């Protein structure tokens, strides 16, 4: 199947051009794209600092929703005509893309295609980092930087639905209000407030989901309770941090983190199973859905990327066809 997709050209310019023939291989699905999620790694790939893993499509896009149009050998779960959403290592900004069946999920009846395209990357990321790496237990406190981001809003939705209080930071008064309206117990403006001291004074937290890095790390550690867990998923303020080892020892803290895109297909399939097992019941009861603040046609990708780059979005942005 010939198809068109957005590829990165010279100087980071996006080019809508014909891609390689798409033929699903063993264990793969061919999906007619109805919507594609926009994620910050897409901007990094455009900048030339986050290339796709070996064997992945060179086209942009890490999450997709649409209709199965072909299946490869040894597929057992989906058939042509099924509505699905999937995590992919690349290729979602397109007319069609290939997904491993193990990374695909049925599109919930309660979801539009736009919601389906906004769910996989954030849900997989939050589950593996907050619930697995961070070991967040019911009744504990979670702190999230970037409270109004796609990851932040999904983390708040999942954690509150599972019985936890969520705190965080945002960059404007409007975003602080939006985050608290979305379920955060308390959000501080990181440009004006000493959020670390305030959270520590309020009793501290058990898990920090950090996408900032740099000088935020010691501040995060300072507000962790005994046995607290610090989970890194990005480093907007740098990859290096000075930490007090004695504080880590004294409070028995755990520092961990992860990436998702380059994980083996078997690990992504395992995560997909956990997401379906634990989060789909919340979707069915109306307790969980991605927050989509921008839905734009595929040919308006430049404006959508600029909106994400500007930091003005609250929740997720998706492209539609």
């Amino acid at each position: 199947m010939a198809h068109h997709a957005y590829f990165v050209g010279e100087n980071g310019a996006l080019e809508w051009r014909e891609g390689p023939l798409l033929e699903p291989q063993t264990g793969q699905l061919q999906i007619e794209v109805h919507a594609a999620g926009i994620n910050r790694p897409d901007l990094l790939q455009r900048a030339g600092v986050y290339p796709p893993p070996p064997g992945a499509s060179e086209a942009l896009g890490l999450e997709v929703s649409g209709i199965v149009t072909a299946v490869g050998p040894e597929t057992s779960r989906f058939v042509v005509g099924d509505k699905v959403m999937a995590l992919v290592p690349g290729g979602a900004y397109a007319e069609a893309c290939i997904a491993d069946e193990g990374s695909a999920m049925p599109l919930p009846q309660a979801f539009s295609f736009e919601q389906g395209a906004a769910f996989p990357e954030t849900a997989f990321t939050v589950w593996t980092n907050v619930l697995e790496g961070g070991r967040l237990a019911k009744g504990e406190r979670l702190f999230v930087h970037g409270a109004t981001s796609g990851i932040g809003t999904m983390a708040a939705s999942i954690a509150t639905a599972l019985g936890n209080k969520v705190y965080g930071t945002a960059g404007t008064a409007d975003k602080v209000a939006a985050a608290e309206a979305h379920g955060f117990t308390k959000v501080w403006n990181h440009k004006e407030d000493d959020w670390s001291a305030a959270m520590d004074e309020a009793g501290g937290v058990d898990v920090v989901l950090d996408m900032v890095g740099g000088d935020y790390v010691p501040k995060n550690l300072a507000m962790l309770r005994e046995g607290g867990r610090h989970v890194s998923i990005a480093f907007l303020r740098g990859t290096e941090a000075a930490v007090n080892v004695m504080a880590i020892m004294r409070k028995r803290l755990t520092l961990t983190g992860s990436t998702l895109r380059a994980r083996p297909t078997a690990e992504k399939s395992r995560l997909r199973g956990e997401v379906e097992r634990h989060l789909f019941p919340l979707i069915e009861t109306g307790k969980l859905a991605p927050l989509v603040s921008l839905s734009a046609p595929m040919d308006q990708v430049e404006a959508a990327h600029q909106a994400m780059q500007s930091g003005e979005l609250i929740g997720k942005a998706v492209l539609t066809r």
Side-chain angles (χ1 to χ4, degrees):
M1 176 185 182
H3 77 297
H4 287 80
Y6 274 114
F7 295 87
V8 181
E10 291 186 6
N11 299 318
L14 291 185
E15 300 176 355
W16 180 255
R17 63 173 188 257
E18 188 169 319
L21 292 176
L22 291 182
E23 296 295 337
Q25 303 302 307
T26 300
Q28 292 184 330
L29 310 173
Q30 180 190 91
I31 300 172
E32 177 187 70
V33 176
H34 281 241
I38 297 176
N39 295 280
R40 192 159 293 278
D42 302 342
L43 306 183
L44 298 177
Q45 184 172 334
R46 288 190 66 173
V49 296
Y50 194 52
S57 170
E58 295 288 334
L60 289 177
L62 302 178
E63 52 190 346
V64 63
S65 67
I67 298 175
V68 176
T69 47
V71 298
E74 299 181 23
T75 52
S76 58
R77 191 176 188 202
F78 298 106
V79 298
V80 172
D82 283 347
K83 294 180 179 180
V84 297
M85 54 186 183
L87 184 75
V88 293
Y93 290 18
E95 294 174 319
C97 77
I98 296 294
D100 289 306
E101 188 178 46
S103 297
M105 299 166 280
L107 183 72
Q109 288 188 346
F111 277 13
S112 64
F113 281 118
E114 288 89 345
Q115 289 173 306
F119 183 79
E121 176 75 13
T122 53
F124 278 44
T125 297
V126 171
W127 186 264
T128 189
N129 287 288
V130 175
L131 279 303
E132 292 184 342
R135 307 189 306 279
L136 183 70
K138 185 176 181 179
E140 289 190 323
R141 292 176 166 189
L142 172 66
F143 195 100
V144 182
H145 291 294
T148 56
S149 67
I151 295 290
T153 53
M154 179 62 72
S157 295
I158 292 174
T160 54
L162 294 176
N164 304 91
K165 289 187 175 181
V166 188
Y167 304 80
T169 62
T172 68
D174 287 345
K175 286 190 172 185
V176 167
E180 292 181 348
H182 188 68
F184 279 81
T185 298
K186 174 67 178 176
V187 176
W188 288 274
N189 186 330
H190 65 78
K191 296 177 182 178
E192 300 176 355
D193 304 322
D194 187 345
W195 46 267
S196 178
M199 188 72 253
D200 186 48
E201 185 176 343
V205 294
D206 301 286
V207 179
V208 175
L209 182 63
D210 179 47
M211 53 193 83
V212 183
D215 59 348
Y216 270 42
V217 175
K219 297 178 182 178
N220 293 336
L221 300 184
M223 64 185 181
L224 278 172
R225 294 167 161 174
E226 288 194 10
R229 287 82 70 193
H230 183 284
V231 188
S232 298
I233 60 171
F235 38 85
L236 297 177
R237 292 172 72 100
T239 58
E240 297 184 1
V243 299
N244 185 326
V245 176
M246 180 58 74
I248 295 172
M249 296 166 59
R250 179 174 53 82
K251 292 200 289 184
R252 303 186 306 281
L253 304 180
T254 298
L255 279 67
T256 185
S258 75
T259 60
L260 181 61
R261 187 178 190 181
R263 291 195 191 190
T265 55
E267 170 62 9
K268 291 179 181 177
S269 180
R270 183 196 69 78
L271 277 176
R272 186 267 309 155
E274 293 298 305
V275 166
E276 287 193 18
R277 186 175 305 112
H278 296 283
L279 301 187
F280 270 41
L282 301 177
I283 295 172
E284 293 169 3
T285 57
K287 294 181 179 178
L288 179 64
L291 179 61
V292 179
S293 65
L294 175 63
S295 178
M298 194 77 71
D299 61 5
Q300 294 181 18
V301 61
E302 287 289 356
H305 274 201
Q306 289 173 15
M308 171 165 276
Q309 188 73 60
S310 72
E312 66 188 52
L313 297 179
I314 295 174
K316 290 280 293 189
V318 299
L319 299 171
T320 60
R321 292 193 62 252

